[in-house]
Amino acid sequence: MEDYSKIFTLQKKLFNSGHTKNTTCRKDYLLRLKNLLEHNEERLYEAIYKDFGKSPFDTFNTELSIIYKEIDYYLKNIGRLSKPKKVKTNLLNQPASSYIYTEPLGCVLIIGAWNYPYQLSLMPAIAALAAGNTCFIKPSEQTPNTLNLLKEIINNNFPKAYVYVIDGGVEEISEVLKLPFDKIFFTGSPKIGRVVYEAAAKNLIPVTLELGGKSPVIVTKSANLESAARRIIWGKFLNAGQTCIAPDYVLAEKSIKQHLIRLFKQNLIEFGYKEGADCYTRIINKRNFDRIKTLINPDKVCYGGETNEKHLYISPTLLDNVTWQDPVMQEEIFGPVLPIISFSDYSEEINKLSRLEKPLAAYLFTKDESEKDLFLNKLSFGGGCINDTVMHISNENLPFGGVGNSGIGSYHGDAGFATFSHAKSILDKKGIIEPDLKYPPYNEDKFRWLKLILK
Ligand code: NAD
């Protein structure tokens, strides 16, 4: 195993030298990363295809283009984001000026998940570096080809005192987690999120946890069903359902459910999702293949349900007449299986959802403003869309993250910069004259004045 504590010491030394605080140097590194990724684009496509059959189209659309955009965003905004911000000074402290200084945290650890192996490792790293930190990146070992390529691209082209990719699994990360990082950013399951949170607590390390959950889609009878079906099917079966913000299940108003299912089937046929198709990835490994397979109750399959263990293929599957008690409703599916449940009373359904764990995403298809209001005011979830699925992630002006069981903190754009920064508040006193009021000895008069001023 590598001597991680040695690399950690190197990173701390570099950070303490002030080198990474220089915004020109940060921009140079980000630009270098972008150039390297562009230069290696074909190899990035090959590696991810070997890992789980993801096509260049999907890889560019859902990983590389988002990474490039994030780098460009920071190249343009680092100056604005790093500048001290002047804020008002209250009467009590006059004469003075007040500022918020944005400073990097230090040496940070980023742990990524496998399902978007480039995006989930690099997006937080880009934010961390833009904010002036050094970082360790631990991509998932479940996607070994992308892990090796990221390791090669980064470790061969950047000083390890600045950014370093860890090659390994649980044994290696458990060792790394003993180091006193200044921040840990974790993407993965709530189960492992707890392990990371506990390890961080030992050194009082702040954490951001990007976790998962069961993200609902609600379709009411007022919705445009053609557009709803198309957007739900795309969001669900992208990456073969292995997307943290994919619709996990559909709640459809009873009167439109059968029509919606017909439209779902029509879209699945049109999109051409099938074994070996460019637009349809494999299941990541045998363990997940077996897990997802057990969630498919053959009696409830109304479309799909085919599997091929040799190719880790599960066809897009729709389940009808699902109940809340079915096994498929007890855990995050994270695969190409879409259960559909019908409802007759919208507000009752919203009440039911509000009692469940807070999901990472939620989606509502409606044209009715009052339904929209109830959805937004009653339900707590990480983020989501009205009349779309998944696309909120593509707007860099929207912070991305969970709440409750689906996570702590957020990133992307300004939110990512803030996640890897400390807001240092400074009161800069101008004069030496001030009332004697706050200093002892205290007396009745002073107390009266104090109440008058501070109330
Ligand atoms: P996971 O929790 O199994 O693994 C995530 C990372 O943790 C991997 O790098 C893994 O090597 C590492 N890890 C494993 N054991 C560890 C330990 N004991 N200590 C520290 N790190 C350890 O998750 P996964 O299977 O890679 O991803 C699937 C889950 O991630 C789903 O729940 C999904 O919803 C969630 N997810 C969330 C987001 C998000 O942005 N919120 C994005 C993608 C995936």
Side-chain angles (χ1 to χ4, degrees):
M1 209 188 283
E2 272 279 358
D3 189 346
Y4 299 117
S5 66
K6 213 160 144 188
I7 302 168
F8 179 79
T9 308
L10 284 176
Q11 292 210 357
K12 287 296 270 189
K13 204 167 149 197
L14 181 75
F15 180 78
N16 290 332
S17 75
H19 181 68
T20 64
K21 287 199 174 164
N22 180 319
T23 50
T24 311
C25 142
R26 294 187 214 174
K27 285 187 196 171
D28 287 349
Y29 281 128
L30 288 180
L31 204 54
R32 188 193 298 183
L33 178 60
K34 186 175 179 198
N35 290 338
L36 282 163
L37 294 173
E38 281 175 339
H39 181 73
N40 285 284
E41 219 171 88
E42 287 306 317
R43 298 178 69 210
L44 290 161
Y45 293 144
E46 261 169 49
I48 203 165
Y49 190 80
K50 278 191 198 152
D51 278 334
F52 61 119
K54 187 161 171 168
S55 70
F57 188 100
D58 272 350
T59 305
F60 184 78
N61 190 25
T62 65
E63 308 230 29
L64 298 184
S65 68
I66 295 175
I67 292 169
Y68 295 152
K69 218 168 65 177
E70 189 80 337
I71 293 179
D72 291 343
Y73 184 84
Y74 287 131
L75 287 175
K76 201 167 145 205
N77 290 289
I78 279 180
R80 170 181 65 83
L81 292 165
S82 328
K83 241 189 9 221
K85 285 167 200 61
K86 191 163 189 206
V87 293
K88 280 187 187 158
T89 302
N90 57 345
L91 190 64
L92 187 70
N93 285 304
Q94 297 291 358
S97 309
S98 300
Y99 294 92
I100 301 168
Y101 282 82
T102 301
E103 63 176 25
L105 296 169
C107 173
V108 307
L109 169 63
I110 287 151
I111 304 175
W114 58 263
N115 58 325
Y116 287 83
Y118 300 133
Q119 203 209 117
L120 299 175
S121 291
L122 293 181
M123 289 283 279
I126 289 162
L129 299 178
N133 301 278
T134 64
C135 77
F136 277 56
I137 307 173
K138 150 73 180 85
S140 173
E141 70 283 13
Q142 302 297 328
T143 38
N145 293 290
T146 54
L147 163 61
N148 279 332
L149 187 54
L150 282 179
K151 187 177 77 173
E152 182 204 306
I153 292 175
I154 290 178
N155 291 0
N156 289 352
N157 292 288
F158 290 92
K160 59 176 142 189
Y162 182 59
V163 50
Y164 174 73
V165 172
I166 302 166
D167 180 358
V170 178
E171 197 187 335
E172 286 77 8
I173 191 64
S174 304
E175 214 35 51
V176 172
L177 276 173
K178 292 178 188 156
L179 296 168
F181 286 98
D182 296 289
K183 166 102 196 183
I184 300 177
F185 187 105
F186 170 83
T187 304
S189 59
K191 182 173 157 227
I192 304 296
R194 284 184 174 82
V195 176
V196 170
Y197 205 3
E198 232 179 281
K202 292 201 177 97
N203 287 310
L204 277 186
I205 302 171
V207 295
T208 295
L209 300 177
E210 297 283 339
L211 311 176
K214 283 184 92 60
S215 301
V217 186
I218 310 167
V219 187
T220 73
K221 63 176 184 298
S222 77
N224 179 319
L225 296 186
E226 277 74 19
S227 144
R230 201 170 173 77
R231 292 173 183 179
I232 293 169
I233 291 301
W234 178 81
K236 175 69 189 187
F237 295 100
L238 178 74
N239 224 28
Q242 302 166 112
T243 302
C244 56
I245 48 170
D248 188 273
Y249 58 98
V250 172
L251 298 172
E253 197 154 355
K254 207 169 182 175
S255 57
I256 50 100
K257 191 187 78 170
Q258 283 315 323
H259 185 37
L260 188 67
I261 290 178
R262 272 196 301 280
L263 292 167
F264 281 165
K265 292 179 186 173
Q266 203 175 302
N267 276 289
L268 283 167
I269 294 165
E270 266 176 37
F271 289 178
Y273 290 137
K274 55 178 184 293
E275 197 168 350
D278 239 15
C279 54
Y280 199 64
T281 66
R282 289 197 311 265
I283 303 305
I284 186 66
N285 53 31
K286 173 82 167 53
R287 188 167 51 85
N288 268 302
F289 174 85
D290 291 341
R291 183 186 60 77
I292 298 164
K293 215 175 136 186
T294 62
L295 298 178
I296 302 174
N297 176 349
D299 295 340
K300 303 209 170 182
V301 171
C302 66
Y303 184 90
E306 298 94 28
T307 61
N308 180 339
E309 184 178 321
K310 192 165 157 236
H311 297 142
L312 295 178
Y313 166 78
I314 297 180
S315 70
T317 299
L318 304 177
L319 303 179
D320 192 8
N321 299 316
V322 174
T323 70
W324 289 94
Q325 287 69 44
D326 287 349
V328 75
M329 293 305 293
Q330 311 311 315
E331 62 179 87
E332 181 183 4
I333 298 167
F334 219 56
V337 177
L338 184 62
I340 300 139
I341 299 181
S342 65
F343 69 86
S344 35
D345 185 325
Y346 177 73
S347 57
E348 217 172 78
E349 216 54 24
I350 292 284
N351 276 334
K352 195 183 294 163
L353 289 180
S354 70
R355 291 192 294 271
L356 303 178
E357 295 283 17
K358 297 174 181 179
L360 184 60
Y363 307 107
L364 171 67
F365 286 85
T366 185
K367 280 192 215 129
D368 183 323
E369 284 299 315
S370 65
E371 288 176 348
K372 181 174 144 186
D373 286 348
L374 196 65
F375 173 80
L376 292 175
N377 293 321
K378 188 88 197 208
L379 290 186
S380 179
F381 50 89
C385 311
I386 308 288
N387 295 322
D388 207 346
T389 67
V390 174
M391 292 307 288
H392 60 296
I393 197 174
S394 66
N395 181 352
E396 69 274 14
N397 300 308
L398 292 173
F400 180 79
V403 57
N405 201 57
S406 57
I408 299 173
S410 59
Y411 69 133
H412 291 188
D414 287 11
F417 200 92
T419 281
F420 289 101
S421 302
H422 166 61
K424 190 160 72 181
S425 297
I426 296 296
L427 178 76
D428 187 356
K429 274 279 199 204
K430 298 298 176 205
I432 52 164
I433 302 162
E434 61 178 341
D436 198 30
L437 191 64
K438 75 176 186 200
Y439 298 103
Y442 305 140
N443 58 37
E444 279 298 311
D445 248 14
K446 280 189 180 178
F447 196 31
R448 239 188 347 268
W449 273 107
L450 191 75
K451 278 183 166 168
L452 216 68
I453 294 170
L454 292 187
K455 256 186 176 170

